[in-house]
């Protein structure tokens, strides 16, 4: 039986995701296990939102959890999908009610020996990242206290996932910006070298660089890197054409 100290430790566990090692599927497996420990439900499953918004299976305490998620995805119906899309907890404790609402899913649930389902959204404010589903066998209903604790745990897990995804997004942006800056620096270096070598202004040097790259189907950055890496200058036909602009250095 869980208590407030157990819940506090679990909340900390799922919000602390800023370490160097993090794997979403391993995170989902742990969340599935903790949800089972909290509620006493044997079969639990976690689904997470993929980049394009579709809900993918991420972890379950029993193989049946994977199967029931697959059924929902196949038929486009079920409590996990409804919970994720609406952002609200879905509880159906009677197989008859499941049958009238989601017939294909209800058939799979009944065939696997379950009588109902309880799904909680992984959501923070208006951003949903998935859902936790409990597949109920015969036994006592979830108490309001336990259901509330599960929602708190799910909210903590949502925060953990969102802050990790945000950090990964910013790391990718930072890397892309640095790569763009590095490419720009190389191009600027090549412009300066060409301007000096050909006695042209930097804009004319860049135009010749770009035209040459286009003519020989090369990238501007690739050509610029070749120029910078070969100070004596590669054989650049078209770049060494006479310049009509008088050069103050060459006369």
């Amino acid at each position: 039986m869980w208590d407030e100290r157990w819940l506090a430790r679990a909340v900390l566990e799922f919000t602390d995701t800023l370490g160097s090692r993090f794997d979403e599927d391993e995170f989902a497996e742990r969340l599935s296990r903790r949800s089972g420990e909290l509620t006493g439900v044997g079969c639990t499953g976690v689904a997470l939102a993929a980049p394009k918004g579709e809900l993918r299976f991420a972890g379950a305490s029993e193989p049946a959890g994977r199967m029931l998620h697959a059924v929902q995805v196949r038929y486009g119906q079920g409590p996990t999908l409804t919970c994720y899309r609406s952002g609200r907890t879905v509880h159906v404790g009677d197989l008859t009610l499941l049958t009238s609402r989601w017939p294909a899913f209800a058939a799979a649930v009944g065939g696997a020996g379950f009588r109902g389902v309880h799904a909680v959204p992984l959501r923070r404010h208006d951003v949903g990242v998935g859902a936790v589903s409990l597949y109920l066998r015969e036994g006592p209903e979830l108490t309001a206290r336990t259901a509330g604790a599960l929602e708190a745990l799910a909210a903590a897990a949502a925060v953990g996932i969102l802050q990790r995804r945000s950090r990964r997004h910013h790391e990718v942006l930072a890397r892309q910006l640095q790569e763009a800056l590095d490419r720009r620096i190389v191009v600027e270096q090549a412009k300066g070298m060409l301007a000096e070598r050909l006695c042209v202004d930097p804009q004319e040097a860049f135009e010749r660089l770009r035209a040459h790259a286009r003519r020989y189907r090369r990238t501007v950055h690739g050509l610029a890197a070749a120029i910078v890496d070969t100070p004596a200058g590669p054989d650049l036909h078209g770049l060494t054409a006479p310049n009509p602009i008088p050069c103050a250095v060459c006369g």
Side-chain angles (χ1 to χ4, degrees):
M1 183 63 180
W2 67 274
D3 58 20
E4 283 71 16
R5 292 181 62 186
W6 184 97
L7 183 59
R9 289 195 299 269
V11 165
L12 178 60
E13 175 185 355
F14 289 105
T15 53
D16 184 15
T17 57
L18 295 181
S20 58
R21 293 184 178 181
F22 179 81
D23 180 86
E24 278 198 355
D25 288 345
E26 188 275 333
F27 181 92
E29 291 285 354
R30 283 192 289 116
L31 179 57
S32 179
R33 290 196 304 270
R34 293 289 184 268
S35 298
E37 293 171 9
L38 172 64
T39 61
V41 173
C43 185
T44 61
V46 174
L48 297 178
K52 293 184 179 180
E54 68 274 19
L55 206 58
R56 68 176 186 86
F57 171 84
S61 59
E62 295 182 8
R66 178 186 292 272
M67 180 272 291
L68 292 172
H69 177 79
V71 169
Q72 295 182 75
V73 172
R74 178 180 179 183
Y75 292 97
Q77 60 172 241
T80 305
L81 297 180
T82 299
C83 172
Y84 167 64
R85 291 166 181 166
S86 68
R88 297 179 179 179
T89 295
V90 174
H91 178 87
V92 183
D94 187 293
L95 188 58
T96 303
L97 296 176
L98 279 174
T99 302
S100 63
R101 191 170 182 182
W102 304 295
F105 174 74
V109 166
F114 300 102
R115 63 173 176 81
V117 64
H118 184 87
V120 178
L122 291 170
R123 191 178 187 87
R124 184 61 178 166
H125 301 307
D126 60 344
V127 182
V129 294
V132 179
S133 298
L134 312 181
Y135 299 103
L136 310 174
R137 294 187 172 95
E138 294 301 327
E141 287 284 344
L142 292 175
T143 66
R145 177 172 176 266
T146 297
L150 179 62
E151 291 181 359
L153 182 62
V159 170
I161 292 171
L162 286 170
Q163 68 181 3
R164 186 66 193 196
R165 288 183 176 182
S166 176
R167 176 178 178 177
R168 185 168 61 223
H169 175 69
H170 284 96
E171 287 173 346
V172 170
L173 283 181
R175 184 168 62 251
Q176 291 174 340
L177 288 172
Q178 185 60 54
E179 290 172 354
L181 178 61
D182 292 342
R183 289 194 296 269
R184 184 65 182 175
I185 289 173
V186 170
V187 171
E188 291 298 322
Q189 289 176 326
K191 280 171 56 179
M193 293 174 67
L194 285 175
E196 181 180 5
R197 186 186 308 168
L198 305 179
C199 292
V200 297
D201 62 39
Q203 183 59 37
E204 172 67 15
F206 178 72
E207 293 299 333
R208 292 193 187 187
L209 179 70
R210 183 168 59 183
H212 188 89
R214 185 182 300 116
R215 183 180 304 118
Y216 292 96
R217 297 182 179 180
R218 300 179 67 177
T219 65
V220 170
H221 173 261
L223 181 57
I227 294 171
V228 171
D229 292 341
T230 313
D235 185 14
L236 302 176
H237 299 291
L239 280 173
T240 55
N243 176 43
I245 301 176
C247 178
V249 176
C250 302

